[in-house]
Amino acid sequence: FLAIASMQTIILMQIVKSKENLGKFDAITIRTYKEHLKRIESIKLKMINAHKAEGLITTGSQDGFIKYWDTKK
């Protein structure tokens, strides 16, 4: 899994082996989160159960807030 931030949006992606290109990988978007009012400055992903995509994303942004995101919601 991979969590990336683009301005005020967080994107949770799953990395899988490519079916078309042997030895390559694809990124599949699982979920997006949009609640920060300003640019996200830091992001941390902790997966609890990768088989069920259960985990926690923590973000901090220029709006002064730290937010916690449940990857199942």
Side-chain angles (χ1 to χ4, degrees):
F1 288 90
L2 173 69
I4 60 172
S6 175
M7 296 306 288
Q8 296 101 340
T9 303
I10 299 131
I11 304 166
L12 176 64
M13 305 180 99
Q14 184 174 10
I15 308 301
V16 296
K17 289 184 180 179
S18 176
K19 293 181 180 179
E20 290 91 33
N21 298 318
L22 295 176
K24 303 287 182 179
F25 295 89
D26 292 325
I28 300 168
T29 299
I30 303 294
R31 195 165 285 111
T32 58
Y33 305 89
K34 300 178 183 181
E35 285 190 30
H36 279 292
L37 301 176
K38 293 187 178 181
R39 186 176 72 201
I40 296 167
E41 294 291 326
S42 62
I43 185 168
K44 178 182 179 183
L45 170 65
K46 180 177 182 181
M47 295 306 293
I48 298 165
N49 184 339
H51 296 291
K52 295 182 180 179
E54 293 177 354
L56 180 70
I57 300 171
T58 307
T59 58
S61 84
Q62 289 183 341
D63 60 14
F65 289 98
I66 296 173
K67 295 191 180 250
Y68 299 91
W69 312 84
D70 182 342
T71 59
K72 293 299 282 185
K73 294 182 180 181

